[in-house]
Amino acid sequence: MRIDVVTIFPEYLAPLELSLVGKARTAGLLDLRVHDLRSWATDRHRTVDDSPLGGGAGMVMRPDVWGEALDTLLGEDGEDGEDGEDGEDGEGAVPGPAGPTVLLVPTPSGDRFDQRTAERLAGSRRILVACGRYEGIDSRVADHYRARGVQVLEISLGDYVLNGGEVAALVVVEAVARLLPGVVGNPESLVEESHGAAGLLEYPVYTRPPVWRDQEVPEVLLSGHHARIARWRRDRALERTARRRPDLLRALPADELDRADRAVLEALGWTVDDGGVVPQPGAVAD
Ligand code: ADE
């Protein structure tokens, strides 16, 4: 996979040289390139922003500078922003590995970024991350590339406002890169984690020593009894999810809950019926 990040603060992305992402790059599993948006500015001051039309506070990033940057980068694999395989005027396009090219625009007004989005992005051939600053990027940029057949995703990390898209770019690259084949040494560690397929938060974890500052590790974890350990972990995951993320509990498919799951949920004030997982009448479930 190739990921291009465009920003006015290339140094902000330096952590992507470290840890798993850094190793994935060195191993050739991920082709990650960071670009300075100002290198596409044309004036002496390398201006990338202007005041908002219609008035208001702050500055807006200019579409012409972004357009030059994105055209250049999209053109680098011989495509004109089309998906290559099935683009209408894809003649002469170089077909790459499977998966689309995605233009990702972090913004507090975007769709919420979550593990499902990360999984979807991990199937892309290329991702271009356009990091906005100030009040954001002129809206015509996203509209233009959408109209040209590029998949454009405007995503938000959460309900708070950051100073720009760089932190979101770090988050997205890490969340996606660890899903690429070969990046995480033991792929089993991806299976049981929070926001995985089970739809639950992860159970609490422990390591040695078995007693630390008078706190003992739950005895079942030392029993070597795999079925009992699995049940204990599932119960704790259900409890934790009920307490911290009742929205995730409500989204659980009832047919994936066994009798023991239902008993735990009942004890926590939830009922499982045809309508799914719902709070018991009168129970304070949130
Ligand atoms: N840029 C500014 N705030 C953001 C947020 N919450 N998520 C993604 N990008 C942003």
Side-chain angles (χ1 to χ4, degrees):
M1 175 187 284
R2 172 170 164 184
I3 303 182
D4 293 272
V5 182
V6 186
T7 166
I8 57 167
F9 295 119
E11 301 85 357
Y12 219 120
L13 284 303
L16 296 177
E17 282 165 27
L18 307 173
S19 188
L20 277 184
V21 176
K23 282 194 194 137
R25 294 172 76 179
T26 314
L29 300 169
L30 174 66
D31 176 5
L32 178 75
R33 308 179 195 191
V34 180
H35 312 270
D36 186 349
L37 177 69
R38 290 193 197 279
S39 60
W40 282 280
T42 49
D43 66 324
R44 212 160 49 91
H45 302 289
R46 306 211 300 161
T47 311
V48 295
D49 60 341
D50 205 338
S51 48
L53 293 178
M59 298 293 269
V60 176
M61 293 190 110
R62 286 166 49 162
D64 51 345
V65 182
W66 273 107
E68 287 302 316
L70 296 173
D71 284 352
T72 308
L73 295 172
L74 285 166
E76 275 184 9
D77 60 357
E79 292 183 278
D80 187 22
E82 306 290 341
D83 277 358
E85 290 86 4
D86 55 6
E88 262 168 38
D89 41 305
E91 255 177 44
V94 179
T101 294
V102 177
L103 173 60
L104 198 90
V105 187
T107 162
S109 55
D111 296 321
R112 180 73 70 85
F113 180 71
D114 61 13
Q115 190 65 19
R116 301 291 88 77
T117 318
E119 286 162 5
R120 184 177 150 200
L121 288 169
S124 316
R125 189 168 57 87
R126 281 191 70 184
I127 302 173
L128 275 86
V129 190
C131 298
R133 281 263 146 184
Y134 319 116
E135 298 304 309
I137 302 172
D138 186 303
S139 290
R140 288 169 293 181
V141 174
D143 293 342
H144 170 77
Y145 288 98
R146 231 177 240 128
R148 266 176 56 176
V150 178
Q151 277 193 28
V152 181
L153 283 187
E154 293 177 86
I155 57 106
S156 168
L157 292 188
D159 296 342
Y160 41 79
V161 180
L162 303 167
N163 288 332
E166 286 75 10
V167 170
L170 291 171
V171 168
V172 169
V173 171
E174 180 153 328
V176 171
R178 61 195 299 283
L179 300 177
L180 300 179
V183 171
V184 170
N186 178 3
E188 278 195 16
S189 63
L190 301 177
V191 175
E192 289 204 359
E193 60 193 10
S194 295
H195 306 295
L200 298 173
L201 300 183
E202 201 184 20
Y203 47 78
V205 294
Y206 302 88
T207 186
R208 277 172 283 274
V211 183
W212 177 73
R213 297 191 181 176
D214 294 335
Q215 290 190 83
E216 291 179 13
V217 163
E219 207 198 315
V220 61
L221 300 181
L222 308 174
S223 70
H225 194 299
H226 297 303
R228 276 182 54 213
I229 293 171
R231 185 66 250 169
W232 182 88
R233 286 178 165 164
R234 175 97 182 155
D235 293 350
R236 299 295 81 73
L238 286 162
E239 264 172 26
R240 190 177 252 190
T241 309
R243 196 162 10 97
R244 297 182 181 172
R245 293 293 304 275
D247 58 311
L248 295 181
L249 267 199
R250 289 172 200 265
L252 285 180
D255 57 2
E256 285 176 21
L257 298 169
D258 64 20
R259 280 175 61 170
D261 293 337
R262 288 165 196 245
V264 176
L265 290 171
E266 291 283 338
L268 293 167
W270 293 77
T271 302
V272 184
D273 61 21
D274 292 345
V277 184
V278 288
Q280 287 160 13
V284 182
D286 294 63

